[in-house]
Amino acid sequence: MKPRFAPWLIAAGLCLTAPAALPQDPPAAPAPALNVQNADIRAFIQDVARATGTTFLVDPRVQGTITLSNDAPLSEPELLGILVATLRANGLIAVPSGAGVYRVVPDDTAAQQPGAARGDGIGFSTEVFRLRHVDAQSAVETVKPLIGRGGVALATPQGNSLLVADYSDNLRRLRGLIAQIDQDRARVEAISLRNSSAREIAQVVNGLYGGQGRGSVLSVLPVESSNAVLLRGDPALVDTVRRVVEDLDRRAENSGDVRVIRLQHANAEELLPVLQQVVGLTGEAEARQGGGGSSSASSPLAASAMASMSNLAATLPRSDGTTGNGDAPLAASVAIAPGRRATIARYPGVNAIIINADPETQRMLVDVITQLDTRREQVLVEALVVEISDDAAKRLGAQLLLAGKDGNVPIGMSNFPGSAPGIAELAAAASRVRDGDTSSPLVSNALRSLLDYNGGLSGLAGETGSLVFGLIIDAVKSDTASNLLSTPSVLTLDNEEARILVGQEIPITTGEVLGDSNSNPFRTIQRQDVGIQLVVRPQINAGGGITLALRQEVSAIAGPVSENFDELILSKREIETRVLADDGAIVVLGGLLDQADRNTVDKVPVLGDIPGLGALFRRTARSRNKTNLMVFIRPTIVRDPREAQGITAPRYDYMRREQLRSGGAPGDGRAQLDALIEDYFGTTPPVAPPAPLPRTEPQPEPSTEPQP
């Protein structure tokens, strides 16, 4: 059994329980000295309550023992102070619950207990501290180690306030500490730069003072609009950094006014006019430039600058390893402000831009060049041209001839336009052959018409009495189907025009002069491209789409105009348009669905209408021409070398497979394309890059709550 705190040890405290209505009673004597070993804390609370006249409501969770040793007598406040210290040491707290009433509970729930602050330090209180200079979240991290057991410190971001719940005496200490912390002793200073870049100076200062582990915090912010640097921090540190920044800016003034920038991706010839417009090369300056890319200086200062630029360009190494001004730089000089002049030139030998200007103008131009001299995206444009045509023709006709027996005078004949061979022509040729004249043009023409005939031809000839008769029946039926499929493709830079042509150059007569008496004849001929041609200029938009300005042409030779006129007829299908397509999407540019039917009947009046027999005096022809043409386009953005390799390797593999399928492999089994790449180029064939690993999303943890 645990020893209890004996009541006789605080017998003097019994007088504290006497009725308050007897004012003549002597004052309470101090409690005697304490000497307790491993006494139950609940019994100690009960004895203190008797000695001080205070009511304590003890929570059932209050457990523990206490050991006290004191040689001097104790007063009532001292006894209560010992009780508070004992409760704190055992993880307990006395929460005020009324006049002279306290509830003793574990301190882990003290912040949730109702009660008012007490000046004696026994109670648990809550206070809100409004911060003006320090961030509330940072203040919480600073105050938390100072909070007692069971205390709470929270930040309220909406009002930048600090909520603290702790013992009353500890809150008084925290109040003074927070007042010392919530002060802004930092100094803000702006430093204007004349010769350096604010962004560059800010990077240098951050690299110099950012990782030194100093107690003072330094913030450096570049202001590019005014080319200034803002410093905020400890006043002594700000003074040191200001001296460093001013020294760097002063040194930059002596670095020289001429700067050579070698471009990595951009073209100096295209970039030069842009830089000239940036510094104000318009109006008179452009007129002085004279369209040739160079301008004469209008002052001795400008003339000296231009001469310096030329001398500098003469010393630069050229692309072939030599030096000199064989490729003279194209330059322009313009006054951008009173007393200030900028001269900008390009040197084609090394694709460089030369700037002769004051440091501020140099900084501005270098910033423009840095943003423009980036790797440009490419676009692979693939076109698909599909043309399906179907031609059908059907013809049936008869030709008759009646002539005198001597064959010289025809009596009657039926002949229709377009009939070949003609019966009159064949009869005349037969008469010439019978007479032994085989070299006559009539004979050669008749033979040619028979050789060129397509279809079926039958006939008969004979004589009766004094008449000679002949009959030719010709019939033909033809069906022609063709399927044209072509896929031109071209790879080009963004906003750069590209052109691909697969075809032939054919001669077209544009003029002919025979001269007097055919003395000096001549003919002028112009070559014309015939085949598949694609001209395209892609432009990548900020939203990811691609605007295409293109012209797609498919042309072919359709044959001569006629037998007697050998000029060529060209069939041409052309689309010229501007379209918007998404990356990798296939869109149709246009198409043509054309069908033409033609029926022709040639007959001898009256005789051609006779049923049955009229077919000998009639010729019928029927033709149908049907064409389906569609053109599709597919643009693909190529952003980096990996994507370029990804579109090159599959097409290379397709050509290699086709070559192996057609038997085009040397003795070692390699395709001829692989052998050429490896043996002549000395490299390996393109291989598709490995596919990127799929991103794995974190899986949610399984819930342990019971499911309904």
Side-chain angles (χ1 to χ4, degrees), residues 133-466:
H133 306 286
V134 181
D135 180 65
Q137 192 63 40
S138 301
V140 167
E141 301 298 329
T142 304
V143 172
K144 270 187 176 181
L146 306 177
I147 300 295
R149 180 176 176 180
V152 177
L154 299 175
T156 58
Q158 293 79 4
N160 195 36
S161 301
L162 188 64
L163 177 65
V164 179
D166 202 354
Y167 295 98
S168 301
D169 55 352
N170 198 28
L171 279 178
R172 288 194 298 270
R173 182 171 64 96
L174 292 177
R175 190 179 301 112
L177 294 177
I178 293 175
Q180 297 180 16
I181 294 174
D182 189 23
Q183 295 182 8
D184 187 9
R185 297 184 178 88
R187 192 176 77 186
V188 179
E189 186 170 345
I191 305 175
S192 299
L193 304 177
R194 301 185 58 185
N195 308 305
S196 305
S197 171
R199 184 188 305 173
E200 182 180 359
I201 291 295
Q203 293 177 354
V204 172
V205 173
N206 283 325
L208 182 63
Y209 293 96
Q212 299 298 325
R214 297 174 177 265
S216 301
V217 178
L218 177 67
S219 299
V220 184
L221 180 65
V223 183
E224 299 184 7
S225 59
S226 58
N227 195 37
V229 176
L230 287 179
L231 303 178
R232 182 183 183 277
D234 182 75
L237 183 59
V238 169
D239 289 337
T240 302
V241 175
R242 179 177 52 80
R243 290 192 296 269
V244 172
V245 171
E246 291 176 350
D247 183 63
L248 292 176
D249 188 46
R250 185 171 53 255
R251 293 174 181 271
E253 185 178 4
N254 303 324
S255 61
D257 294 337
V258 179
R259 186 166 182 177
V260 179
I261 303 175
R262 298 184 179 229
L263 303 179
Q264 301 294 327
H265 305 283
N267 188 346
E269 183 177 2
E270 299 177 355
L271 190 58
L272 178 62
V274 177
L275 300 178
Q276 293 170 358
Q277 294 181 16
V278 169
V279 297
L281 182 60
T282 56
E284 297 180 0
E286 289 182 351
R288 291 196 304 269
Q289 188 176 357
S294 61
S295 64
S296 60
S298 57
S299 66
L301 179 61
S304 176
M306 296 288 287
S308 301
M309 301 285 281
S310 299
N311 295 334
L312 177 62
T315 63
L316 291 175
R318 301 180 59 186
S319 57
D320 55 0
T322 63
T323 60
N325 56 358
D327 294 330
L330 307 180
S333 178
V334 60
I336 58 177
R340 295 167 56 190
R341 176 170 293 274
T343 303
I344 309 174
R346 70 178 178 91
Y347 187 66
V350 291
N351 191 34
I353 293 290
I354 308 173
I355 301 174
N356 184 5
D358 58 279
E360 182 178 356
T361 305
Q362 279 192 25
R363 183 184 64 257
M364 176 187 65
L365 294 177
V366 169
D367 185 59
V368 173
I369 293 174
T370 302
Q371 298 184 46
L372 295 179
D373 188 22
T374 57
R375 182 185 179 94
R376 296 170 61 182
E377 296 177 335
Q378 302 181 90
V379 180
L380 174 65
V381 181
E382 300 170 288
L384 177 62
V385 182
V386 183
E387 180 179 352
I388 303 174
S389 62
D390 186 10
D391 299 335
K394 185 178 182 181
R395 185 176 70 245
L396 177 63
Q399 302 176 62
L400 297 175
L401 176 66
L402 290 177
K405 190 172 183 180
D406 55 1
N408 293 328
V409 181
I411 298 176
M413 181 179 63
S414 65
N415 194 9
F416 303 106
S419 300
I423 191 171
E425 185 180 7
L426 292 178
S431 177
R432 295 285 181 168
V433 173
R434 185 183 58 187
D435 295 340
D437 185 9
T438 57
S439 61
S440 173
L442 291 175
V443 177
S444 60
N445 290 336
L447 292 176
R448 187 181 303 110
S449 65
L450 289 174
L451 294 176
D452 295 339
Y453 179 74
N454 184 17
L457 183 67
S458 63
L460 57 88
E463 59 182 23
T464 173
S466 60

Side-chain angles (χ1 to χ4, degrees), residues 100-154:
V101 179
Y102 292 91
R103 291 193 311 115
V104 180
V105 295
D107 59 3
D108 55 357
T109 61
Q112 290 81 29
Q113 299 296 328
R118 289 281 299 269
D120 55 8
I122 297 177
F124 209 83
S125 302
T126 302
E127 188 171 347
V128 176
F129 300 91
R130 299 189 180 277
L131 305 178
R132 295 184 178 182
H133 306 286
V134 181
D135 180 65
Q137 192 63 40
S138 301
V140 167
E141 301 298 329
T142 304
V143 172
K144 270 187 176 181
L146 306 177
I147 300 295
R149 180 176 176 180
V152 177
L154 299 175

Side-chain angles (χ1 to χ4, degrees), residues 511-534:
E512 185 176 7
V513 176
L514 297 178
D516 297 337
S517 301
N518 201 18
S519 59
N520 188 21
F522 68 90
R523 176 183 296 178
T524 58
I525 296 177
Q526 180 181 358
R527 298 283 178 175
Q528 182 172 342
D529 295 331
V530 175
I532 299 174
Q533 184 175 189
L534 174 63

Side-chain angles (χ1 to χ4, degrees), residues 8-18 25-33 50-53 72-79:
W8 59 269
L9 292 176
I10 52 173
L14 297 177
C15 63
L16 297 177
T17 61
D25 292 342
R50 292 193 187 100
T52 60
L74 299 174
S75 63
E76 178 180 343
E78 292 175 342
L79 189 59

